[in-house]
Structure formats: structure tokens, C-alpha cells
Amino acid sequence: MNKQSNSYTIIYIIVLVVVVGAALAFTAMGLKDRQQQNADADRMRQILAAVHITPSADGVTADFERYISGQTVVDSKGAVIGSDAFAVDIAAQVKLPVDERKLPVFICTLADGDVKYILPMYGAGLWGPIWGYVALDSDAATIYGAYFAHQGETPGLGAEIEKPAFSDQFDGKTLWKEGRFMPVAVVKKGQPSPSGEDYVDGISGGTITSKGVSAMLSDCLRPYESYLLTLRSK
């Protein structure tokens, strides 16, 4: 075949695309399990971060199994409907009506025996999704710790939600005021909370991301009210 012909060029390109595509597909299939393991380990690390535990790079799974003493899935009425919280896709659940959502709960037992309840969250920032975990004390009211992450918020601005300087503000805040369930609000620094709930300062220059975190806290924590009431009554 004439290597200078258009036919040769087209056939060469087709063969090259097929070979490269097959190689990439084979590589992706071969690495799929490892990629899933890494994704699971990162999620475990984030869950543990909500209770101020920082595992070593090679000890994430071991620490998760050591400290996460139980998992449960509840509905908006507080009824238990499952036991594998890790399998619940939070991003998919937040798109559903509240009464149709599966609400995962991770139960953590610290080294001193204290029990914490870790609740996942998922929402929208300025440039993409944001998510996080809030850990409550055994009173099911006081925040013990929080962790937030994002996909593409602006470095130095909205991306600051992932820094301890922001998340540490939540420690000690409460979700209940005078018997009313009121998730913590994120407000502009120097301003009071809109409805009397506990609040933290938003990110300077990251107004939309801060509002996204506040909306996420409300949307994702309110469905747990009935479940938390059952815990408080024990």
C-alpha cells in the first residue's frame, strides 16, 4: 500500500486509535479495584477527620475498623432501614425528597469509650459539589467535630472550607435551641445568625461557598431530626 496515500493515513489512524483505546481500557480495568480501594480509603479518612482522628497513610482501613464501631441507615422518621452506611451514595440521596432518603449514620467509639455519631452531607458550592461530615457527641446535640471538602472551589477563597481554621469553629456548637432543631448557620463575619441558631463565620471572599455550606448543613441535617430525638430520649 502506498504510504503516501489518503487510504493508508486513514487506516493507520484507525488502527492506532483501536490499539491505544484497547490499551487504555485494559489498564483501566486492571486498576479499577485499586482505584476503588483508594477512593474508599479516602472516604474513611474524611469520616475519621470529623472526630479529629488522623490515621497514617497505610493505616486508614485499620483505624476505620477500630473506631467505627457501628453503622446504621435510617429514614426521616428515625426508623432503622439498613445497616451499611458506607454503601449509601449521599450525592444521589440529596436529590430525593426528604421522606424518600436513606440517611447513613456512622457510630464512632473513641479510645476513652466516648460515643460519637457521624452524619454525612453533600451540597453545592460555587464551582462544583461540596461535602462533609459532622460528628455529634453522645447527647445527639453538641457538635464534636466537622470536616468539609470540595471538588473545585477557588484556592484561597472558597477552598478554605477544607482548612481546620474553618471546620474547627463548629466544635461545641449545638443543633438544638430551646427544644427546636436548628442546624448551625454560616454567616458573614460580624453578623448574627438569622434565626437565633448557633453560627460560625463564613470564608472571607468565599460568600457563595459559605452559603453553600450553610444550605448543605440545613438540607442534610434536618432529615435526621427524628433519629436524633430518639437518641436524646435514651
Side-chain angles (χ1 to χ4, degrees), residues 60-169:
V60 177
T61 301
D63 281 346
F64 185 83
E65 294 175 348
R66 178 183 303 129
Y67 292 107
I68 302 303
S69 53
Q71 299 182 37
T72 189
V73 181
V74 301
D75 61 20
S76 61
K77 297 179 181 179
V80 175
I81 58 174
S83 59
D84 190 356
F86 202 82
V88 177
D89 183 350
I90 303 301
Q93 293 302 311
V94 297
K95 297 177 182 178
L96 300 175
V98 170
D99 59 358
E100 295 180 15
R101 294 185 195 178
K102 296 177 181 178
L103 308 172
V105 181
F106 297 92
I107 303 169
C108 173
T109 302
L110 300 179
D112 60 4
D114 283 351
V115 174
K116 313 297 178 185
Y117 299 93
I118 305 173
L119 312 179
M121 303 172 294
Y122 192 92
L126 174 59
W127 301 113
I130 56 177
W131 62 91
Y133 299 88
V134 168
L136 302 180
D137 280 328
S138 56
D139 63 1
T142 308
I143 295 179
Y144 176 75
Y147 173 86
F148 299 98
H150 64 93
Q151 179 174 292
E153 299 306 286
T154 307
L157 299 175
E160 295 298 298
I161 64 170
E162 67 182 359
K163 301 294 181 62
F166 176 72
S167 59
D168 286 353
Q169 295 182 90

